[in-house]
Amino acid sequence: MTKKRARVLGGLSLLVLLLSTTVLATADPKTKLQQSHYLQLTIPLIAELSLVAGEPVELVYNPEEGFFRSDEIRVTYRCNAKNWALVLTANNFRHLMEQETDRAEIPVAGYLSAVAGDKVYHYEEDGITIAGNHNTGTAEETANISYRLELPPDVDYYAGDEYQTKVTYTLFVFD
């Protein structure tokens, strides 16, 4: 048998095998064997938080408004939990030089606010809740936030006094 004839016979044998497999596959089977399994997945928790701000963020007095205001910072977050909150907290402002006078602190509760667009969030005893309890899923959300501070009216503050506090954003996940 020549090589050419062996290739032709081999090709024909393959063609007959393919055709018979196709006919068998489309015929009505008397026996049918199947195996199945389930696929399962668990969605992982996605909780992300980032902050873009200068260091330090300067509060500048605006005499027309009667309070101090900062430039905006950017807070980007996302969370796919059902029960969560993005909370801003801060300690009272501390005088950088005088620690033992009635001017040593400026309270944040009742005087500090966060402004995001047309929403004003006033600082309460436990902080400011910026967002929460809505499913952002995999979509990031960004809040451009500026700060506003009114001085307590019953304390005299002097030109050149400098105060500072640390502001912390915390993403709480309760689920």
Side-chain angles (χ1 to χ4, degrees):
M1 185 182 304
T2 66
K3 284 186 180 181
K4 186 175 184 180
R5 189 172 199 200
R7 272 191 285 194
V8 169
L9 284 176
L12 285 175
S13 298
L14 182 60
L15 181 61
V16 168
L17 179 63
L18 287 174
L19 288 174
S20 64
T21 303
T22 303
V23 169
L24 288 175
T26 58
D28 188 25
K30 293 183 183 191
T31 304
K32 181 178 173 182
L33 301 174
Q34 289 184 323
Q35 295 288 316
S36 299
H37 66 87
Y38 290 95
L39 292 176
Q40 182 173 325
L41 65 104
T42 302
I43 304 297
L45 173 66
I46 298 172
E48 297 176 358
L49 174 63
S50 70
L51 177 65
V52 177
E55 243 343 284
V57 175
E58 292 286 335
L59 288 165
V60 177
Y61 185 70
N62 183 332
E64 293 173 8
E65 296 178 317
F67 49 78
F68 291 82
R69 185 182 284 272
S70 74
D71 289 335
E72 289 183 341
I73 63 161
R74 179 176 301 159
V75 180
T76 303
Y77 58 93
R78 68 179 175 171
C79 185
N80 67 343
K82 292 177 185 173
N83 191 8
W84 62 276
L86 176 60
V87 177
L88 174 160
T89 55
N91 295 321
N92 288 341
F93 284 87
R94 298 286 302 162
H95 194 289
L96 294 181
M97 301 300 286
E98 296 183 34
Q99 302 300 317
E100 301 301 325
T101 68
D102 62 343
R103 297 186 348 253
E105 285 190 354
I106 298 173
V108 293
Y111 299 101
L112 180 67
S113 300
V115 181
D118 60 350
K119 294 181 181 175
V120 178
Y121 302 93
H122 299 285
Y123 199 97
E124 310 266 333
E125 290 298 322
D126 55 350
I128 299 173
T129 299
I130 302 294
N133 289 341
H134 65 280
N135 188 351
T136 62
T138 57
E140 284 186 349
E141 293 195 17
T142 298
N144 294 317
I145 297 173
S146 64
Y147 302 104
R148 188 172 82 184
L149 177 70
E150 298 177 46
L151 293 178
D154 56 344
V155 177
D156 291 325
Y157 298 97
Y158 298 113
D161 282 356
E162 292 183 316
Y163 294 82
Q164 191 175 61
T165 188
K166 181 179 181 180
V167 176
T168 303
Y169 287 83
T170 307
L171 182 62
F172 293 98
V173 179
F174 303 109
D175 288 341

